[in-house]
């Protein structure tokens, strides 16, 4: 998919499963489709799947049934959403509702429990040079894409209404941030919203004069109200340093997106589907028994047979540090930030998400495996683990030192921290004063065999295995990795070897444990929290990394893909 179409790609699952469909030449509304799905099959969904380690990015359509008949019908529905979603102009009202509903969900993500969303921004920052991954995996990036789609799908007014709206948005709203601070701008938007919603008379003399200067017909008033509400919702995601320039960008983008014909949007979405529906670009997985699979195979092959047999066109991504480039708009001399923090004014607690490269399932050399196991000594849920100690001290909820062979990253994660600096200092002190305990060698080896998949649903485990194969993680490589870890038990004085490596392993994700981490290759030091937490943690970093250390603040606008 060309990058110029990423604004449409971001919402592709919504366009496929949330707008209704065409079956046998007959339109099926979204409500009718949901009722039929409820009666006929177990489940149908479309979503994005990705591996950040290998950068595999896929659209996945899943269907399931509880017996052969339901499974056949599930394949029928999969084919329907792949080839015949109702992307007609006649269906624009439902399409607009679906985009608005999805946008509302994305905007509310940061209001949910921390464990449900905090890993997303950190992972997006890690892979910020891949715009395809940002578009499909980052809710902050997708929120802006959905916002733009919302305006592209609106009907452009004609005649006086268009002139009035353009004057109001680009001649009045766009310049409102030039002479107002954040609080004043928020008050203005609130007053404008109330006025446009019900036509109430504005209280302020200045506002009265402005509204008299920019009169609005009913058609223009509806769109102006939507623009004011969208700007109000996005105000919190913009830093003070770029408030005026971001405001001008958003107002201009609203008007330029409004000028895009909705028919062109639907054509672009169909174009994306045409580009990806190629036989050389598809894989399938089935979680079933052999007998049912043989029964289903002809239907599956028939569906895949509809895919284009020609060679699919491959697009070379433009790789650049998208988030850091946005940060450089506020700090022009910035080379590369070591420490960053996403400001979350809606929370009182903070989150640590630090990570660095470690062994993955495709590694097998002894030195890499020793470092991997060393990173497991104080992981897990043992009484000595950082999880139990930090939790018992009331300094974090879910937390701990982890080494993931699937991601190829070692990480320190801690959420709901009452004070970021206090939590980090506690963990660093605990590890510096950790007792010498050779029995932890077997504990570390055992930890290397734990996996979150073991307690998962059978179907989810099967799909994960299929994804492993797509990423080149074959059973042979997994066996080689696991066997290599087991063989470490035969290393003489294994605990001494692990203990000697332990500090260096953990120091890559814990500032203050070892030497400076400013030059740690591939490391990520990411925190989330309100400004008060950022200030406290920045002081801690200066105490361990040097007085010139800075924690660079990130905002949702830094994750937007801006043309």
């Amino acid at each position: 998919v060309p990058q110029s179409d990423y604004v449409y790609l971001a919402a592709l699952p919504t366009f496929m499963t949330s707008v209704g469909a065409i079956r046998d030449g007959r339109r099926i509304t979204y409500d009718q489709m949901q009722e039929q799905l409820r009666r006929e099959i177990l489940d149908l969904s479309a979503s994005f799947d990705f591996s950040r380690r290998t950068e595999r990015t896929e659209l996945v359509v899943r269907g399931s049934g509880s017996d052969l008949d339901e499974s056949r019908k599930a394949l029928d529905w999969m084919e329907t959403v792949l080839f015949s979603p109702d992307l007609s102009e006649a269906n624009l009202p439902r399409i607009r509702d679906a985009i608005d509903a999805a946008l509302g969900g994305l905007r509310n993500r940061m209001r949910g429990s921390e464990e449900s969303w905090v890993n997303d921004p950190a992972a997006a920052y890690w892979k910020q040079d891949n715009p395809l991954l940002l578009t499909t995996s980052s809710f902050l990036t997708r929120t802006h894409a959905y916002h733009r789609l919302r305006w592209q799908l609106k009907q452009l007014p004609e005649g006086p209404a268009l002139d009035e709206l353009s004057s109001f948005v680009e001649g009045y709203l766009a310049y409102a941030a030039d002479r107002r601070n954040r609080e004043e701008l928020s008050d203005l938007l609130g007053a404008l919203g109330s006025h446009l919603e019900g036509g109430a008379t504005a209280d302020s003399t200045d506002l009265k004069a402005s509204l008299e200067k920019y009169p609005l017909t009913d058609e223009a008033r509806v769109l102006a109200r939507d623009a004011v509400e969208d700007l109000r919702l996005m105000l919190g995601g913009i830093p003070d340093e770029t408030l005026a320039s971001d405001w001008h960008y958003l107002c201009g983008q609203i008007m330029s997106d409004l000028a895009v014909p909705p028919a062109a949007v639907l054509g672009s979405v169909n174009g994306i589907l045409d580009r990806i529906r190629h036989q050389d670009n598809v894989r399938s997985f089935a979680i079933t028994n052999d007998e049912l699979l043989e029964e289903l195979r002809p239907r599956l092959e028939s569906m895949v047979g509809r895919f284009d047999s020609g060679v699919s066109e491959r697009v070379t991504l433009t790789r650049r540090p998208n988030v850091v480039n946005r940060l450089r708009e506020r700090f022009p001399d910035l080379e590369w930030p070591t420490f960053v923090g996403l400001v979350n004014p809606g929370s009182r607690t903070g989150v640590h998400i630090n990570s660095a490269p470690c062994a993955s399932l495709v590694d097998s050399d002894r030195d890499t495996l020793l470092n991997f196991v060393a990173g497991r000594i104080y992981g897990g849920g043992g009484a000595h683990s950082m999880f139990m100690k930090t939790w018992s001290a009331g300094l974090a909820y879910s937390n701990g030192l982890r080494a993931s062979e699937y991601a190829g990253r070692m990480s320190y994660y801690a959420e709901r921290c009452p004070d970021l600096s206090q939590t980090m200092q506690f963990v660093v002190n605990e590890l510096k004063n950790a007792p010498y305990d050779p029995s932890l060698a077997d504990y570390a080896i055992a930890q290397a065999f734990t996996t979150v998949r073991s307690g998962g649903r059978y179907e989810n485990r099967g799909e994960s295995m299929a994804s492993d194969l797509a990423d080149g993680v074959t059973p042979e490589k997994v066996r080689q990795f696991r066997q290599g870890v087991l063989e470490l038990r035969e290393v003489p004085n294994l605990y001494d070897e692990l203990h000697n490596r332990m500090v260096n392993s953990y120091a890559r994700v814990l500032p203050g444990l070892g030497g400076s981490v400013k030059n740690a290759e591939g490391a990520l030091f990411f925190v989330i929290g309100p400004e008060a937490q950022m200030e406290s943690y920045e002081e801690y970093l200066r105490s361990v990394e040097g007085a010139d250390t800075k924690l660079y603040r990130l905002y949702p606008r830094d994750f937007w893909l801006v043309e």
Side-chain angles (χ1 to χ4, degrees), residues 264-338:
V265 175
L266 303 181
S268 295
V269 176
N270 276 315
I272 291 174
L273 286 169
D274 287 341
R275 282 179 168 271
I276 64 178
R277 286 187 308 228
H278 280 251
Q279 291 181 7
D280 66 352
N281 192 42
V282 65
R283 71 178 177 94
S284 66
F285 58 86
I287 315 299
T288 183
N289 60 51
D290 291 342
E291 181 181 351
L292 283 180
L293 180 58
E294 288 307 307
E295 292 283 351
L296 294 170
R297 188 185 301 277
R299 182 66 191 85
L300 177 61
E301 291 177 349
S302 171
M303 177 172 64
V304 175
R306 289 188 63 184
F307 282 60
D308 195 317
S309 60
V311 177
S312 56
E313 180 183 351
R314 302 293 169 175
V315 177
T316 301
L317 295 175
T318 300
R319 309 295 291 250
R320 54 174 172 253
N322 289 285
V323 180
V324 170
N325 279 349
R326 297 280 283 167
L327 191 58
R328 286 173 179 146
E329 294 175 11
R330 306 195 289 280
F331 305 97
D333 298 328
L334 176 65
E335 292 184 5
W336 191 267
T338 301

Side-chain angles (χ1 to χ4, degrees), residues 180-200:
R180 292 176 176 83
N181 61 30
R182 182 181 301 277
E183 291 72 22
E184 293 169 338
L185 194 57
S186 178
D187 291 342
L188 172 65
L189 293 173
L192 283 172
S194 297
H195 173 76
L196 294 169
E197 183 70 34

Side-chain angles (χ1 to χ4, degrees), residues 209-482:
S210 297
L211 292 175
E212 289 173 359
K213 186 178 179 181
Y214 299 98
L216 297 168
T217 59
D218 290 344
E219 185 180 8
R221 179 187 291 272
V222 171
L223 292 169
R225 181 195 63 202
D226 289 348
V228 166
E229 178 62 11
D230 277 357
L231 290 169
R232 185 187 69 81
L233 291 171
M234 289 186 285
L235 179 60
I238 300 173
D240 290 337
E241 298 94 326
T242 58
L243 180 57
S245 59
D246 285 345
W247 206 253
H248 279 278
Y249 159 75
L250 287 170
C251 291
Q253 193 69 66
I254 283 174
M255 291 307 300
S256 62
D257 282 333
L258 183 58
V260 176
V265 175
L266 303 181
S268 295
V269 176
N270 276 315
I272 291 174
L273 286 169
D274 287 341
R275 282 179 168 271
I276 64 178
R277 286 187 308 228
H278 280 251
Q279 291 181 7
D280 66 352
N281 192 42
V282 65
R283 71 178 177 94
S284 66
F285 58 86
I287 315 299
T288 183
N289 60 51
D290 291 342
E291 181 181 351
L292 283 180
L293 180 58
E294 288 307 307
E295 292 283 351
L296 294 170
R297 188 185 301 277
R299 182 66 191 85
L300 177 61
E301 291 177 349
S302 171
M303 177 172 64
V304 175
R306 289 188 63 184
F307 282 60
D308 195 317
S309 60
V311 177
S312 56
E313 180 183 351
R314 302 293 169 175
V315 177
T316 301
L317 295 175
T318 300
R319 309 295 291 250
R320 54 174 172 253
N322 289 285
V323 180
V324 170
N325 279 349
R326 297 280 283 167
L327 191 58
R328 286 173 179 146
E329 294 175 11
R330 306 195 289 280
F331 305 97
D333 298 328
L334 176 65
E335 292 184 5
W336 191 267
T338 301
F339 305 102
V340 294
L342 177 64
V343 178
N344 180 20
S347 173
R348 294 183 179 180
T349 59
V351 182
H352 284 285
I353 310 175
N354 301 338
S355 66
C358 78
S360 71
L361 287 167
V362 297
D363 293 314
S364 59
D365 70 277
R366 179 177 178 275
D367 195 57
T368 301
L369 294 181
L370 280 169
N371 288 331
F372 172 76
V373 175
R376 296 278 187 160
I377 295 178
Y378 288 93
H384 69 292
S385 69
M386 289 303 101
F387 162 69
M388 286 301 298
K389 288 183 175 293
T390 308
W391 180 77
S392 299
L395 294 176
Y397 186 61
S398 179
N399 74 91
L401 290 156
R402 305 162 184 176
S404 170
E405 61 271 39
Y406 291 97
R409 305 282 289 181
M410 169 180 289
S411 66
Y412 173 67
Y413 174 91
E415 69 187 37
R416 305 183 200 176
C417 302
D419 185 276
L420 288 168
S421 57
Q422 187 179 2
T423 301
M424 182 60 67
Q425 184 67 66
F426 175 83
V427 172
V428 166
N429 288 340
E430 286 292 323
L431 289 172
K432 284 182 176 180
N433 298 307
Y436 183 87
D437 185 356
S439 68
L440 294 180
D442 277 345
Y443 175 87
I445 293 288
Q447 284 295 304
F449 285 84
T450 60
T451 170
V452 294
R453 290 184 185 176
S454 58
R457 294 176 57 203
Y458 186 83
E459 294 85 351
N460 295 342
R461 286 154 50 201
E463 183 175 346
S464 295
M465 293 162 72
S467 295
D468 283 345
L469 294 174
D471 292 327
V473 181
T474 62
E476 293 75 21
K477 289 182 179 178
V478 174
R479 177 182 291 276
Q480 185 179 37
F481 178 86
R482 303 294 189 199

Side-chain angles (χ1 to χ4, degrees), residues 1 42 44 54 97 105 129 140 200 207 218 290 362 408 433 497 503 514:
V1 178
L42 197 60
L44 175 76
T54 64
D97 287 346
D129 68 331
L140 294 173
L207 184 55
D218 290 344
D290 291 342
V362 297
N433 298 307
E497 182 76 40
V503 170

Side-chain angles (χ1 to χ4, degrees), residues 1-7 9 50-52 54-58 127-137 275 313-322 561:
V1 178
Q3 289 176 229
S4 58
D5 280 347
Y6 279 8
V7 66
L9 177 65
F50 40 83
S51 164
R52 293 188 176 92
T54 64
E55 299 193 344
R56 169 182 56 84
T57 309
E58 296 175 319
K127 287 295 183 178
Q128 62 179 277
D129 68 331
N130 188 322
L132 182 58
L133 272 176
L134 287 176
T135 298
T136 55
S137 68
R275 282 179 168 271
E313 180 183 351
R314 302 293 169 175
V315 177
T316 301
L317 295 175
T318 300
R319 309 295 291 250
R320 54 174 172 253
N322 289 285
L561 287 182

